[in-house]
Amino acid sequence: MSYLEYHAKSTPTGLRKILYLNWPLTLLLASVAGVGFLMLYSVAGGSFSPWAEPQFKRFLLGMCVMLVVAMVPIWFWRNISVLAYLMSIVLLLAVEFFGTIGMGAQRWIDLGFMRLQPSELMKITLVMLLAAYYDWLPAERSSRPIWVLVPVLMILFPTFLVLRQPDLGTSILLLAAGGGVMFLAGVHWGYFAAVIAAGVGLVTAVFQSRGTDWQLLKNYQYRRIDTFLDPSQDPLGAGYHITQSKIALGSGGWSGRGYMQGTQSRLNFLPEKHTDFIFTTLAEEFGFIGGFTLLSLYILIIVFCVATALAAKDRFSSLVTLGVAITFFLFFAVNMSMVMGLAPVVGVPLPLVSYGGSAMLVLLAAFGLVQSANIHRPR
Amino acid sequence: MKRNAKELEGAHRKLSRRALLLGGLQLGFAGGLAARMRYLQVDQADQFRLLAEENRINIRLLAPARGEIFDRNGQTLAHNSPSYRIIIVPEDAGDVGEVIAKLSRLITLDPEDVERALVEMRRSPPFLPITLADQLNWEDISKVAVNAPALPGITPEVGLTRIYPQLDDFAHVVGYVGPVSDYDLSKLDRPDPILRIPRFQIGKVGFEAKREDVLRGTAGAKRVEVNATGRVMRELDRKEGQAGADMQLTVDADLQNYVQARLGKESAAVVIVDCESGDLRALASAPSFDPNLFVRGISVADYRMLTDDPYRPLANKTVQGTYPPGSTFKMVTVMAALEDGLIGPEDTVYCPGHLEVSGRRFHCWKRAGHGHVDLNTSLKQSCDVYYYDLAIKVGIDKISAMANRLGLGMRHDLPMSAVASGLAPNREWKSRVRGQDWLVGDTVNASIGQGFILASPLQLAVMTARLATGRSIAPRLVKSIDGVEQPSGAGESLGLNENNLRMVRRGMYSVSNDRRGTGYRSRIIAEGMRMGGKSGTSQVRNITAAERAAGVIRNEDLPWDRRDHALYVCFAPFDNPKFAVSVIVEHGGGGSKAAAPIARDVMLQALYDGTPPLAAYPKGDRSRIKAQQERLERERLQRGGSQDSDQA
């Protein structure tokens, strides 16, 4: 069923839309953000500044953005997705030329009132574009090579731009989320199998080539991989982040050391304690119980998204909702794997908890799309 | 694009299927994360908790205050004074060069200190604190403290440093402390962790080193919480250390000061023993040095000057130096003969100026000879032939045994560095050590304190005290430890015949008070203060027959280090001995001329506990003595003045 076939009467209109908002999802998002405020307050040594307060303001702004996005009919978003995608590409290119250097990487454009990270925007517009593409493409064509190549290019182009910044974490996210949407849209599993097989082959080749004269990576890159695989090799250098992070997590135990009692974060042993490594503080202060609770909240958000997607009557709504869910999942899965020493340290924040404006606004806007799909579902 | 419903339905079902599959995968992954979290946080919690504590808690040792050292009247010989220093932890500093550059803009750093610190840094692990600057004033240290946030890895610290307010006077007795060296650590089996405290000072030489056990005290510790850069956030708890025990020595600082001044630039040593308790009232070795130089680490140039000096200022001549005692040994020979009953006071020996013993001619110091000599005259005029004759009759073994009874040839147990045991040889010793038979000529040489016999000034003073009292006086240096009085060295009776002792003492009285005595010129005339003494002149070279024929070269014509040692031992007051004194002036020439005046002066100073009245001196000496007293007083005042400015 396409949006053209909706009966205008069967979808809520006006202020009645608010009643159809997915309230449990909204509440879940707010509680996750609440955990974030709590932790930001703690890592600042029991202070609202410099992190908790701005984060709260951004969250309020983000909620407004979400509501606005939710109120706008989902078909509007479908119609402008190509435009949104192109705008994101333009912004990415702009960063390439006019961006500001921050944290050793070129990532944002200073708009005056806020710093815009086009790569964050890209995550959501890519999902929108792919959803719109598969909404438009007849299902029986979706596995044909030419129609597979088009979305692959849509994914690879921004990925390449983001990788150049360099931002490995976001590139992986774009790649995985894009691939996820393609998989959901019904592209033949053979393609995925081929890509995975090729990936495994490449990794094997990289390791096999080490020390030979056709070595694929530079020596320092191998050393990074070594450190990732066994951080104890270099506990004060490259492995420091992972080692300290694991210590913080481990020392939390079952129930944690108590709020604001985490020594690892309070004494600055943890790097990036307010951004990428904020989960370690949570785990140190609230223990396994705290960490598991947050993980459960995340999973519930995913469950609600999947439920919304399954209930949706059109492909765009389903795909965009699931795409947002995948992006969200990738955020916390990569971040948590990273702090638990299961994945290399790539710059991926803990969604809605880590300090950072762009990511929060973009994520809430994305959930606005999910809400919009829910509201504008014909009933 | 037109769609048929069936196709759409199929696509939707496929989407739902794949959505559920993907959702399931996500759930599975989340389960994996939860399992990992459980593994880290529950299964391995203890291990990580420990690591976190290790991260956070540092144990810092607290150096105890070293025990202070006082003289018998409570004057300070060694104390501790706060000293401010700057330490750097290279690991926390990051770029050490830059931090030091920043620091040197704040305060003036000694380039030598910085160089030494950099060398030390290369040798030690990066987390060990290293002293960058020492002995800073309060103003500099505050500047550093205020700017601490801009100086990572830099910590101002207050510590204690050792001060020796008596400067040169007690360098040999008290010794000195210094920073622990690698060599010190290598000597120890399991070094006390306290020694790893940067700039911790331990006794290196002398009393400070010998009684390190009591003086050091035990370390305290504090546990501090540190952050990732090693900066101390707060102190968790602290256990104070136990300060070292305070020590009181038997030495009298004023007397010691006088003696050192009196010795002046001579290479000499003086020991004053209390005849009642064995207390060492003064132990002076000249020339001396300022021990404070060693506390911080002496410069190479200064050290070279001390080691190259032919007068050996670093050696403690009072206990380390052993010399042939010369004629001061004659009391031992005569006591051995008297105790053996071989001679009486009236027995005489004819001295023609030499004695033939198994084909070798032994000379008396007086070429013309002393004629008929009895015991008293033999001591008074120090006739050598009398003792040659006596010794041949008594034999070396009895002489050696008597020497041991009187405190020679044995090590007195004193807490000082390298206390020498000297040598009072016998037949057994020579065959054991030299692998040769004892010859009668050896006995003849020994009888007048030449040949193999060696004694330290300390031993000679003890010998004199034992002769004066008849008791086995043992020297005592430590009066009390932490207020606990140490056992006296008064000793038991030696079991010597009192009549024999009296005869020897009378002989010593004649030496000092008889017009023909060798020590007459350095007598005391105050009644009740008169002393008994004995001069000694010990050869450091052999006089060949040819030289003797041509006329023995006078001391003044010899190079300094070939001249005779001058010795003098004495006790006073004669009727009720209070002090025994031994003096040696290295290469000073004749004992009666070089050593006896010093012995008399320090004896009087001890007897009067201060500057003696001129009336105690013979009339002819008074004007000279007055001038000398005034000169010494001036010198002491000057030194006292410079001492104050040193401390300021």
Side-chain angles (χ1 to χ4, degrees), chain A residues 127-151:
Chain A
V127 167
M128 282 167 70
L129 179 70
L130 289 171
Y133 172 78
Y134 283 109
D135 186 50
W136 164 78
L137 190 73
E140 73 275 11
R141 292 196 198 161
S142 59
S143 290
R144 292 188 193 157
I146 183 74
W147 298 111
V148 170
L149 189 63
V150 173

PDB file of all heavy atoms in Angstrom, chain A residues 127-151:
ATOM      1  N   VAL A 127      19.428   6.660   5.669  1.00  0.00           N
ATOM      2  CA  VAL A 127      18.344   5.698   5.943  1.00  0.00           C
ATOM      3  C   VAL A 127      17.064   6.135   5.231  1.00  0.00           C
ATOM      4  O   VAL A 127      16.358   5.329   4.613  1.00  0.00           O
ATOM      5  CB  VAL A 127      18.121   5.577   7.460  1.00  0.00           C
ATOM      6  CG1 VAL A 127      16.817   4.853   7.767  1.00  0.00           C
ATOM      7  CG2 VAL A 127      19.299   4.850   8.106  1.00  0.00           C
ATOM      8  N   MET A 128      16.773   7.448   5.300  1.00  0.00           N
ATOM      9  CA  MET A 128      15.564   7.952   4.633  1.00  0.00           C
ATOM     10  C   MET A 128      15.606   7.690   3.133  1.00  0.00           C
ATOM     11  O   MET A 128      14.646   7.211   2.529  1.00  0.00           O
ATOM     12  CB  MET A 128      15.413   9.470   4.869  1.00  0.00           C
ATOM     13  CG  MET A 128      14.885   9.826   6.240  1.00  0.00           C
ATOM     14  SD  MET A 128      15.092  11.577   6.588  1.00  0.00           S
ATOM     15  CE  MET A 128      13.913  12.309   5.469  1.00  0.00           C
ATOM     16  N   LEU A 129      16.767   8.012   2.552  1.00  0.00           N
ATOM     17  CA  LEU A 129      16.887   7.846   1.102  1.00  0.00           C
ATOM     18  C   LEU A 129      16.701   6.393   0.684  1.00  0.00           C
ATOM     19  O   LEU A 129      15.966   6.077  -0.259  1.00  0.00           O
ATOM     20  CB  LEU A 129      18.241   8.355   0.612  1.00  0.00           C
ATOM     21  CG  LEU A 129      18.457   8.205  -0.896  1.00  0.00           C
ATOM     22  CD1 LEU A 129      17.554   9.166  -1.664  1.00  0.00           C
ATOM     23  CD2 LEU A 129      19.895   8.399  -1.290  1.00  0.00           C
ATOM     24  N   LEU A 130      17.358   5.488   1.440  1.00  0.00           N
ATOM     25  CA  LEU A 130      17.264   4.070   1.102  1.00  0.00           C
ATOM     26  C   LEU A 130      15.831   3.576   1.260  1.00  0.00           C
ATOM     27  O   LEU A 130      15.307   2.832   0.416  1.00  0.00           O
ATOM     28  CB  LEU A 130      18.217   3.254   1.973  1.00  0.00           C
ATOM     29  CG  LEU A 130      19.716   3.431   1.654  1.00  0.00           C
ATOM     30  CD1 LEU A 130      20.552   2.754   2.707  1.00  0.00           C
ATOM     31  CD2 LEU A 130      20.042   2.917   0.274  1.00  0.00           C
ATOM     32  N   ALA A 131      15.171   4.041   2.335  1.00  0.00           N
ATOM     33  CA  ALA A 131      13.780   3.625   2.562  1.00  0.00           C
ATOM     34  C   ALA A 131      12.906   4.111   1.417  1.00  0.00           C
ATOM     35  O   ALA A 131      12.064   3.364   0.889  1.00  0.00           O
ATOM     36  CB  ALA A 131      13.297   4.170   3.900  1.00  0.00           C
ATOM     37  N   ALA A 132      13.135   5.378   1.021  1.00  0.00           N
ATOM     38  CA  ALA A 132      12.348   5.928  -0.085  1.00  0.00           C
ATOM     39  C   ALA A 132      12.632   5.184  -1.375  1.00  0.00           C
ATOM     40  O   ALA A 132      11.728   4.895  -2.175  1.00  0.00           O
ATOM     41  CB  ALA A 132      12.656   7.423  -0.241  1.00  0.00           C
ATOM     42  N   TYR A 133      13.885   4.850  -1.578  1.00  0.00           N
ATOM     43  CA  TYR A 133      14.289   4.140  -2.788  1.00  0.00           C
ATOM     44  C   TYR A 133      13.563   2.810  -2.888  1.00  0.00           C
ATOM     45  O   TYR A 133      13.002   2.456  -3.931  1.00  0.00           O
ATOM     46  CB  TYR A 133      15.804   3.935  -2.765  1.00  0.00           C
ATOM     47  CG  TYR A 133      16.359   3.041  -3.855  1.00  0.00           C
ATOM     48  CD1 TYR A 133      16.525   3.520  -5.158  1.00  0.00           C
ATOM     49  CD2 TYR A 133      16.710   1.725  -3.588  1.00  0.00           C
ATOM     50  CE1 TYR A 133      17.036   2.715  -6.147  1.00  0.00           C
ATOM     51  CE2 TYR A 133      17.223   0.908  -4.564  1.00  0.00           C
ATOM     52  CZ  TYR A 133      17.384   1.400  -5.860  1.00  0.00           C
ATOM     53  OH  TYR A 133      17.896   0.612  -6.834  1.00  0.00           O
ATOM     54  N   TYR A 134      13.557   2.059  -1.770  1.00  0.00           N
ATOM     55  CA  TYR A 134      12.905   0.753  -1.821  1.00  0.00           C
ATOM     56  C   TYR A 134      11.387   0.853  -1.778  1.00  0.00           C
ATOM     57  O   TYR A 134      10.682  -0.062  -2.151  1.00  0.00           O
ATOM     58  CB  TYR A 134      13.430  -0.147  -0.693  1.00  0.00           C
ATOM     59  CG  TYR A 134      14.795  -0.692  -1.047  1.00  0.00           C
ATOM     60  CD1 TYR A 134      15.937  -0.259  -0.393  1.00  0.00           C
ATOM     61  CD2 TYR A 134      14.917  -1.629  -2.078  1.00  0.00           C
ATOM     62  CE1 TYR A 134      17.178  -0.733  -0.734  1.00  0.00           C
ATOM     63  CE2 TYR A 134      16.168  -2.107  -2.428  1.00  0.00           C
ATOM     64  CZ  TYR A 134      17.292  -1.666  -1.769  1.00  0.00           C
ATOM     65  OH  TYR A 134      18.506  -2.137  -2.131  1.00  0.00           O
ATOM     66  N   ASP A 135      10.893   1.969  -1.317  1.00  0.00           N
ATOM     67  CA  ASP A 135       9.459   2.205  -1.390  1.00  0.00           C
ATOM     68  C   ASP A 135       9.034   2.395  -2.843  1.00  0.00           C
ATOM     69  O   ASP A 135       7.992   1.946  -3.278  1.00  0.00           O
ATOM     70  CB  ASP A 135       9.111   3.451  -0.566  1.00  0.00           C
ATOM     71  CG  ASP A 135       7.611   3.666  -0.491  1.00  0.00           C
ATOM     72  OD1 ASP A 135       6.918   2.685  -0.148  1.00  0.00           O
ATOM     73  OD2 ASP A 135       7.162   4.790  -0.775  1.00  0.00           O
ATOM     74  N   TRP A 136       9.951   3.049  -3.567  1.00  0.00           N
ATOM     75  CA  TRP A 136       9.675   3.354  -4.985  1.00  0.00           C
ATOM     76  C   TRP A 136       9.927   2.132  -5.848  1.00  0.00           C
ATOM     77  O   TRP A 136       9.202   1.835  -6.773  1.00  0.00           O
ATOM     78  CB  TRP A 136      10.580   4.522  -5.416  1.00  0.00           C
ATOM     79  CG  TRP A 136      10.708   4.719  -6.893  1.00  0.00           C
ATOM     80  CD1 TRP A 136       9.791   5.313  -7.715  1.00  0.00           C
ATOM     81  CD2 TRP A 136      11.779   4.304  -7.734  1.00  0.00           C
ATOM     82  NE1 TRP A 136      10.212   5.317  -9.009  1.00  0.00           N
ATOM     83  CE2 TRP A 136      11.448   4.689  -9.040  1.00  0.00           C
ATOM     84  CE3 TRP A 136      12.988   3.646  -7.485  1.00  0.00           C
ATOM     85  CZ2 TRP A 136      12.292   4.438 -10.122  1.00  0.00           C
ATOM     86  CZ3 TRP A 136      13.822   3.398  -8.566  1.00  0.00           C
ATOM     87  CH2 TRP A 136      13.465   3.787  -9.878  1.00  0.00           C
ATOM     88  N   LEU A 137      10.965   1.351  -5.550  1.00  0.00           N
ATOM     89  CA  LEU A 137      11.391   0.236  -6.377  1.00  0.00           C
ATOM     90  C   LEU A 137      10.462  -0.947  -6.178  1.00  0.00           C
ATOM     91  O   LEU A 137      10.214  -1.358  -5.042  1.00  0.00           O
ATOM     92  CB  LEU A 137      12.823  -0.163  -5.989  1.00  0.00           C
ATOM     93  CG  LEU A 137      13.519  -1.163  -6.897  1.00  0.00           C
ATOM     94  CD1 LEU A 137      13.911  -0.497  -8.212  1.00  0.00           C
ATOM     95  CD2 LEU A 137      14.761  -1.704  -6.198  1.00  0.00           C
ATOM     96  N   PRO A 138       9.928  -1.479  -7.270  1.00  0.00           N
ATOM     97  CA  PRO A 138       9.099  -2.684  -7.137  1.00  0.00           C
ATOM     98  C   PRO A 138       9.918  -3.800  -6.494  1.00  0.00           C
ATOM     99  O   PRO A 138      11.101  -3.969  -6.806  1.00  0.00           O
ATOM    100  CB  PRO A 138       8.748  -3.031  -8.577  1.00  0.00           C
ATOM    101  CG  PRO A 138       8.965  -1.785  -9.352  1.00  0.00           C
ATOM    102  CD  PRO A 138      10.029  -1.028  -8.657  1.00  0.00           C
ATOM    103  N   ALA A 139       9.307  -4.522  -5.606  1.00  0.00           N
ATOM    104  CA  ALA A 139      10.019  -5.512  -4.793  1.00  0.00           C
ATOM    105  C   ALA A 139      10.746  -6.549  -5.636  1.00  0.00           C
ATOM    106  O   ALA A 139      11.836  -6.999  -5.280  1.00  0.00           O
ATOM    107  CB  ALA A 139       9.037  -6.214  -3.851  1.00  0.00           C
ATOM    108  N   GLU A 140      10.126  -6.925  -6.821  1.00  0.00           N
ATOM    109  CA  GLU A 140      10.744  -7.999  -7.588  1.00  0.00           C
ATOM    110  C   GLU A 140      12.062  -7.562  -8.242  1.00  0.00           C
ATOM    111  O   GLU A 140      12.857  -8.396  -8.647  1.00  0.00           O
ATOM    112  CB  GLU A 140       9.770  -8.551  -8.647  1.00  0.00           C
ATOM    113  CG  GLU A 140       9.536  -7.632  -9.842  1.00  0.00           C
ATOM    114  CD  GLU A 140       8.444  -6.588  -9.598  1.00  0.00           C
ATOM    115  OE1 GLU A 140       8.014  -6.441  -8.413  1.00  0.00           O
ATOM    116  OE2 GLU A 140       8.030  -5.910 -10.552  1.00  0.00           O
ATOM    117  N   ARG A 141      12.297  -6.236  -8.295  1.00  0.00           N
ATOM    118  CA  ARG A 141      13.541  -5.780  -8.930  1.00  0.00           C
ATOM    119  C   ARG A 141      14.670  -5.578  -7.921  1.00  0.00           C
ATOM    120  O   ARG A 141      15.808  -5.316  -8.301  1.00  0.00           O
ATOM    121  CB  ARG A 141      13.315  -4.429  -9.616  1.00  0.00           C
ATOM    122  CG  ARG A 141      12.397  -4.533 -10.812  1.00  0.00           C
ATOM    123  CD  ARG A 141      12.540  -3.280 -11.638  1.00  0.00           C
ATOM    124  NE  ARG A 141      11.408  -3.152 -12.528  1.00  0.00           N
ATOM    125  CZ  ARG A 141      11.042  -2.012 -13.117  1.00  0.00           C
ATOM    126  NH1 ARG A 141      11.730  -0.913 -12.862  1.00  0.00           N
ATOM    127  NH2 ARG A 141      10.016  -1.967 -13.937  1.00  0.00           N
ATOM    128  N   SER A 142      14.309  -5.674  -6.686  1.00  0.00           N
ATOM    129  CA  SER A 142      15.277  -5.234  -5.673  1.00  0.00           C
ATOM    130  C   SER A 142      16.554  -6.059  -5.655  1.00  0.00           C
ATOM    131  O   SER A 142      17.572  -5.617  -5.168  1.00  0.00           O
ATOM    132  CB  SER A 142      14.626  -5.258  -4.285  1.00  0.00           C
ATOM    133  OG  SER A 142      14.177  -6.568  -4.005  1.00  0.00           O
ATOM    134  N   SER A 143      16.514  -7.280  -6.224  1.00  0.00           N
ATOM    135  CA  SER A 143      17.709  -8.108  -6.186  1.00  0.00           C
ATOM    136  C   SER A 143      18.502  -8.090  -7.489  1.00  0.00           C
ATOM    137  O   SER A 143      19.522  -8.745  -7.604  1.00  0.00           O
ATOM    138  CB  SER A 143      17.347  -9.559  -5.838  1.00  0.00           C
ATOM    139  OG  SER A 143      16.948  -9.608  -4.501  1.00  0.00           O
ATOM    140  N   ARG A 144      18.019  -7.327  -8.443  1.00  0.00           N
ATOM    141  CA  ARG A 144      18.754  -7.290  -9.701  1.00  0.00           C
ATOM    142  C   ARG A 144      20.015  -6.443  -9.541  1.00  0.00           C
ATOM    143  O   ARG A 144      19.975  -5.367  -8.920  1.00  0.00           O
ATOM    144  CB  ARG A 144      17.867  -6.707 -10.803  1.00  0.00           C
ATOM    145  CG  ARG A 144      16.731  -7.662 -11.116  1.00  0.00           C
ATOM    146  CD  ARG A 144      15.962  -7.217 -12.329  1.00  0.00           C
ATOM    147  NE  ARG A 144      14.723  -8.000 -12.385  1.00  0.00           N
ATOM    148  CZ  ARG A 144      13.635  -7.590 -13.030  1.00  0.00           C
ATOM    149  NH1 ARG A 144      13.638  -6.423 -13.656  1.00  0.00           N
ATOM    150  NH2 ARG A 144      12.558  -8.344 -13.057  1.00  0.00           N
ATOM    151  N   PRO A 145      21.110  -6.916 -10.147  1.00  0.00           N
ATOM    152  CA  PRO A 145      22.408  -6.255  -9.908  1.00  0.00           C
ATOM    153  C   PRO A 145      22.376  -4.757 -10.115  1.00  0.00           C
ATOM    154  O   PRO A 145      22.888  -4.009  -9.271  1.00  0.00           O
ATOM    155  CB  PRO A 145      23.332  -6.929 -10.915  1.00  0.00           C
ATOM    156  CG  PRO A 145      22.727  -8.270 -11.153  1.00  0.00           C
ATOM    157  CD  PRO A 145      21.237  -8.107 -10.981  1.00  0.00           C
ATOM    158  N   ILE A 146      21.719  -4.278 -11.186  1.00  0.00           N
ATOM    159  CA  ILE A 146      21.749  -2.845 -11.470  1.00  0.00           C
ATOM    160  C   ILE A 146      21.053  -2.062 -10.367  1.00  0.00           C
ATOM    161  O   ILE A 146      21.499  -1.004  -9.954  1.00  0.00           O
ATOM    162  CB  ILE A 146      21.143  -2.549 -12.866  1.00  0.00           C
ATOM    163  CG1 ILE A 146      21.233  -1.037 -13.198  1.00  0.00           C
ATOM    164  CG2 ILE A 146      19.711  -3.020 -12.961  1.00  0.00           C
ATOM    165  CD1 ILE A 146      22.621  -0.620 -13.540  1.00  0.00           C
ATOM    166  N   TRP A 147      19.954  -2.639  -9.818  1.00  0.00           N
ATOM    167  CA  TRP A 147      19.188  -1.968  -8.765  1.00  0.00           C
ATOM    168  C   TRP A 147      19.837  -2.148  -7.376  1.00  0.00           C
ATOM    169  O   TRP A 147      19.472  -1.477  -6.435  1.00  0.00           O
ATOM    170  CB  TRP A 147      17.730  -2.439  -8.757  1.00  0.00           C
ATOM    171  CG  TRP A 147      17.040  -2.115 -10.043  1.00  0.00           C
ATOM    172  CD1 TRP A 147      16.621  -2.990 -10.995  1.00  0.00           C
ATOM    173  CD2 TRP A 147      16.721  -0.808 -10.517  1.00  0.00           C
ATOM    174  NE1 TRP A 147      16.077  -2.328 -12.069  1.00  0.00           N
ATOM    175  CE2 TRP A 147      16.123  -0.975 -11.808  1.00  0.00           C
ATOM    176  CE3 TRP A 147      16.884   0.497 -10.020  1.00  0.00           C
ATOM    177  CZ2 TRP A 147      15.685   0.105 -12.574  1.00  0.00           C
ATOM    178  CZ3 TRP A 147      16.445   1.556 -10.781  1.00  0.00           C
ATOM    179  CH2 TRP A 147      15.866   1.371 -12.048  1.00  0.00           C
ATOM    180  N   VAL A 148      20.761  -3.105  -7.339  1.00  0.00           N
ATOM    181  CA  VAL A 148      21.540  -3.244  -6.104  1.00  0.00           C
ATOM    182  C   VAL A 148      22.680  -2.235  -6.105  1.00  0.00           C
ATOM    183  O   VAL A 148      23.027  -1.641  -5.079  1.00  0.00           O
ATOM    184  CB  VAL A 148      22.079  -4.683  -5.967  1.00  0.00           C
ATOM    185  CG1 VAL A 148      23.093  -4.775  -4.830  1.00  0.00           C
ATOM    186  CG2 VAL A 148      20.946  -5.656  -5.748  1.00  0.00           C
ATOM    187  N   LEU A 149      23.237  -2.040  -7.308  1.00  0.00           N
ATOM    188  CA  LEU A 149      24.387  -1.138  -7.414  1.00  0.00           C
ATOM    189  C   LEU A 149      24.038   0.289  -6.991  1.00  0.00           C
ATOM    190  O   LEU A 149      24.818   0.973  -6.325  1.00  0.00           O
ATOM    191  CB  LEU A 149      24.899  -1.161  -8.858  1.00  0.00           C
ATOM    192  CG  LEU A 149      26.229  -0.445  -9.066  1.00  0.00           C
ATOM    193  CD1 LEU A 149      27.337  -1.135  -8.268  1.00  0.00           C
ATOM    194  CD2 LEU A 149      26.583  -0.374 -10.541  1.00  0.00           C
ATOM    195  N   VAL A 150      22.809   0.737  -7.356  1.00  0.00           N
ATOM    196  CA  VAL A 150      22.400   2.115  -7.049  1.00  0.00           C
ATOM    197  C   VAL A 150      22.470   2.402  -5.550  1.00  0.00           C
ATOM    198  O   VAL A 150      23.168   3.333  -5.124  1.00  0.00           O
ATOM    199  CB  VAL A 150      20.998   2.408  -7.625  1.00  0.00           C
ATOM    200  CG1 VAL A 150      20.512   3.774  -7.151  1.00  0.00           C
ATOM    201  CG2 VAL A 150      21.039   2.350  -9.153  1.00  0.00           C
ATOM    202  N   PRO A 151      21.772   1.645  -4.687  1.00  0.00           N
ATOM    203  CA  PRO A 151      21.883   1.929  -3.245  1.00  0.00           C
ATOM    204  C   PRO A 151      23.302   1.734  -2.701  1.00  0.00           C
ATOM    205  O   PRO A 151      23.704   2.444  -1.779  1.00  0.00           O
ATOM    206  CB  PRO A 151      20.901   0.930  -2.622  1.00  0.00           C
ATOM    207  CG  PRO A 151      20.708  -0.130  -3.631  1.00  0.00           C
ATOM    208  CD  PRO A 151      20.852   0.541  -4.965  1.00  0.00           C
TER     209      PRO A 151
END
